[in-house]
Structures are given as C-alpha cells and as structure tokens.
Amino acid sequence: MLAPASASIPSVNASATPAQLRRFFYAAYCDTPTPFRLLGALRPYVCPFDKLLQFVRDGAEVLDVGCGAGSFLTLLAATKKIRRGVGCDVMAAPLQSARAAAARLGAQGILSFEHVGSVAEAPEGPFDIVAMVDVLHHVPPGNRSDVFSAAAKRVRPGGIFLYKDMTARPGGRRLAHNIDDYIFTREWVEQVPEGAVETWAGDHRLALVHDEFIPRLIYGHELRVFQRPEH
Ligand SMILES: C[S@@+](CC[C@H](N)C(=O)[O-])C[C@H]1O[C@@H](n2cnc3c(N)ncnc32)[C@H](O)[C@@H]1O
C-alpha cells in the first residue's frame, strides 16, 4: 500500500504548459527518489511532450519502448487520451517509479510496465502507437537497427511509430546534450545519425508523415512520425 501523497495531483490536458506539466509530474512521482523526481518534473521544459501528444489519437493502445519512468504514458493516461498503455524497458528501477505513478493516478487498470531483456520480449500487439523517445542514443550503434525493427514490427496497419531523439546535427545543441548525458550517465553518447531512422522505417514499410526539428532551451530534438499503410 502506498503512503499518502504529499499533495493531490493537478489535472493536465493536451495543451498544458511546461509549468503545469512540472507540477503534474512532481506530484505524480512523489514515490520517486528526490533527484530523479526533480529531474523528471523539469523535463517538460526540455522534452517536447506537447508535440508528441498531438500524434496520439484518442482511445489508442500505446506501446512505449524504453519507457524509463513512464512519463509519456502517465501523461497520456492523465490526459485521458488512451485506452491502454504498455511500457517496457531493459532497466528495472525506473519501472518501479512508473508503476507507483500509475497507481497514484488511479491508472493501474490502463497502464502496465514490463521489464524486458530486449524489445523482442515486449508484448507483440500490434499497437495503434509505438513510441520510442530518447532511447536509441543509449543503444550501441550496431544494435540500433534491431531495436528499431523490433519496435516497428509492433505497429498495426494504419498505426503510428512515434520517434523522438536528440539531434545529431553538429553544433551547440548536440554538444549540450552530450554534456548533459555525460553529467548524468558518465556516457559520451553518439546520437543517431541523420537519415538512419528513415532508412530503417522504409525497411518496415513505414511511411514518413511528419518530420520536425524542435529547438528547446539549449537542446535540439528530432521528431519523426511514421505510419504503416492500412494494406
Ligand atoms: C533517456 S531514457 C528515456 C526514457 C523515456 N523514454 C522518456 O522519454 O522519459 C532512455 C531509456 O531507454 C532505455 N533503453 C536503453 N536501451 C534500451 C533497449 N535496448 N531496449 C529498451 N529500452 C532501452 C533505458 O533503460 C532508459 O530507460
């Protein structure tokens, strides 16, 4: 049984500001250890959740690959956009935070979180939406196409593959991400080269329907939305 929450969880909708999302995440993740709770609450200032939300149709079933602490799915559940959300990750600890936040929201019946050895072990679906947010730059370059492929196979006909990662474009925004990740993970990451995901998506008959570079603060994001044809 969870201890009482320190504060009630503010409601949010799809047009919530970063400040409203900060308050939402801070309250929903009250069971998460303080440094991670703070970082998660500040993430809406950096991560374009607002853009991601636009591509999730109401009532969708969503698989979030590499969900971490489940921020995207908890937000989707809180905004009442989805019928079901499944998160999977190779790390167990963040999933505990995700489950606790889902329970705080009363969304245990909608959200589930699975610890997997690889994406190939994730539920097969198929899903209306498969999301992959800031995952691939943590995957060794030689394994990225396999991870992408395992996720892509889980998109149903007519469904969406929602991909967002940090920019690989040379310059200050890429450097800011490298320094940021180095501080928090001691890893000097190699961003996903431009054009790579488009090639892998093409191999899986996923058509690019939206392509956007999103600058936020000192960071840069690459958003790609792919759709599987109905037939
Ligand atoms: C920067 S975090 C992003 C978490 C979450 N997607 C979000 O945006 O809040 C990267 C996540 O990818 C996960 N990850 C790394 N390699 C993975 C793999 N091969 N399969 C699934 N998840 C992976 C990590 O464990 C971590 O939770």
Side-chain angles (χ1 to χ4, degrees), residues 87-111:
C88 70
D89 204 289
V90 294
M91 281 180 65
L95 297 173
Q96 298 294 350
S97 291
R99 291 184 191 111
R104 290 289 179 194
L105 286 166
Q108 314 92 306
I110 298 172
L111 301 182

Side-chain angles (χ1 to χ4, degrees), residues 5-11 23-24 26-28:
S6 49
S8 62
I9 301 172
S11 59
R23 288 191 284 274
F24 164 76
Y26 191 75

